[in-house]
């Protein structure tokens, strides 16, 4: 219904809405959270297809993922790792933020 291509602006708005759902959905069922993160990953792939949109997608997701990380929500951490890995793959290396280095330092500490 959207034609051959989904506009990256629409995907970015979808990504923002999904990230807000993730932020509010702590304590939701496992199946719901799995589906929510799956949708988040797909929206990220579309939203960050253009390099200029990748930084915007990163700005939307990092605060939400950081909050989950800080609260040590063990059920959601594997999803965070997957989304972070996807961000590292998608975001061009020249605009990756130094915060990734900090996260890896915490991960291996």
């Amino acid at each position: 219904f959207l034609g051959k291509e989904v506009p990256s602006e629409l995907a970015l708005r979808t990504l923002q809405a999904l990230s807000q759902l993730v932020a509010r959905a702590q304590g939701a069922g496992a199946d719901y959270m799995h589906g929510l993160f799956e949708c988040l990953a797909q929206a990220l792939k579309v939203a960050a297809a253009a390099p200029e949109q990748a930084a915007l997608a990163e700005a939307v997701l990092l605060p939400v993922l950081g909050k989950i990380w800080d609260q040590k929500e063990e059920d959601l951490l594997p999803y965070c790792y997957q989304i972070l890995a996807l961000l590292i793959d998608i975001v061009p290396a020249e605009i990756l933020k130094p915060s990734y280095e900090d996260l890896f330092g915490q991960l291996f500490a």
Side-chain angles (χ1 to χ4, degrees), residues 6-85:
V6 176
S8 59
E9 293 171 6
L10 175 61
L12 189 59
R13 287 196 308 266
T14 302
L15 189 64
Q16 290 169 330
L18 289 169
S19 66
Q20 290 173 0
L21 286 174
V22 167
R24 292 191 307 246
Q26 282 103 15
D31 289 338
Y32 176 78
M33 293 306 291
H34 176 79
L36 190 56
F37 273 94
E38 189 68 33
C39 291
L40 191 71
Q42 294 305 318
L44 174 58
K45 289 177 185 178
V46 174
E52 64 275 2
Q53 294 289 93
L56 296 173
E58 183 183 48
V60 168
L61 288 175
L62 284 181
V64 174
L65 297 176
K67 180 181 172 188
I68 292 170
W69 186 290
D70 289 341
Q71 293 176 348
K72 295 181 178 28
E73 296 193 33
E74 293 179 7
D75 293 340
L76 302 181
L77 285 177
Y79 297 117
C80 289
Y81 299 149
Q82 291 175 342
I83 298 297
L84 285 171

